Amino acid sequence: MEPTKIILDCDPGHDDAIAILLAGKAPEINLLGITVVAGNQTLDRTAINALQVCQYLGLNVPVYAGCDRPMIREKLTAGDIHGATGLDGPKFAPLDRSIETKHAVQYLIETLMASDGDITLVPTGPLTNIAMAMRLEPKIVPKIHRIVLMGGSFSYGNVSPAAEFNILADADAAHVVFTCGRPITMVGLDVTRKVLCVPDVVDRMAKIDNRAGNLFVDLMRFFNKTQHQVFGWEGGPLHDPVTIASIVAPEVLTTKPMHVEIDHRSIQSYGRTNADVFGYLHKTPNVDVATDIDVDRFWDIVEAGIRNYS
Ligand code: RIB
Ligand code: CA
């Protein structure tokens, strides 16, 4: 079976970094390029972080910097979770690679327009780059095969009672993406909170003892510390890699078609993904919402992804 062509749009971020790691050597995936957006940290940091991860892992994948702020609202970052650099923990060698000169939005437009409509977009940060590309060149929309995004929740949020970070950080962009009409898989907190990277998982991956395993351990030791400080958990939810795992093995996720609207107008609930779980509104579903995950299979996919670097 042909590997799935993807563009990973991310805001590294510890869990974004693991998503890059898994996508980079998965035989089921052809990682065409990485586009970076402001989110977990400012764009100058998230862009360098993506480059550092690719350089450390020896991934020859182009990295494009995109939007450094949301479309309308003020910037929102998550230094309390990811640290001042956005990727605190690991120590990286000086960069001998650079960010591509082309803007990420331009890269998205040119790559999608030149494609046969077989590219899956995998956003794991705020949706600003994707939405701006759709607005700048609407002809790319029918060219998108599917959007598999980490974001939202049909239960409660993580940065506000209503909203999850990626959506809250740019709900206007999320509204553009969720109303684009293309197939969307929403990997929300409802499933990512089931894959907590507890110490036993870190120990399991540490035993692999290769570059990728060592990076995983360094990243997760920091990520778990801040997740414990903020949420009291023993292990942080490994949010973003669930998108990649669902492309490697779609059966790892259970999904349900739902009508999902983004609340980008209210104050208290700004950034909420209003998912009509029971179809009350009798509106046509626009999103395949992840409702469950095979946790054991997910960690097996993560282990296999790390072993791909041996
Ligand atoms: O809410 C979790 C999401 O926000 C993850 O993608 C994390 O990396 C941050 O971007
Ligand atoms: Ca992210």
Side-chain angles (χ1 to χ4, degrees), residues 9-17 19 37 39-40 82 123-126 150 164-166 239-241:
D9 184 77
C10 55
D11 62 334
H14 291 67
D15 51 331
D16 303 78
V37 68
N40 283 319
H82 299 276
T124 62
M150 192 279 142
E164 176 278 326
F165 178 84
N166 287 338
H239 305 291
D240 296 336

Side-chain angles (χ1 to χ4, degrees), residues 4-10 29-36 62 64 104 107-112 119-124 130 146 148 244 247:
T4 302
K5 290 178 184 173
I6 77 166
I7 295 172
L8 176 59
D9 184 77
C10 55
I29 289 176
N30 177 1
L31 178 58
L32 301 176
I34 295 172
T35 52
V36 187
Y64 300 84
Y107 165 75
L108 284 162
I109 291 169
E110 289 176 10
T111 308
L112 287 165
I119 296 176
T120 296
L121 299 183
V122 184
T124 62
I130 312 298
R146 175 171 282 269
V148 180
I244 303 301
I247 294 169

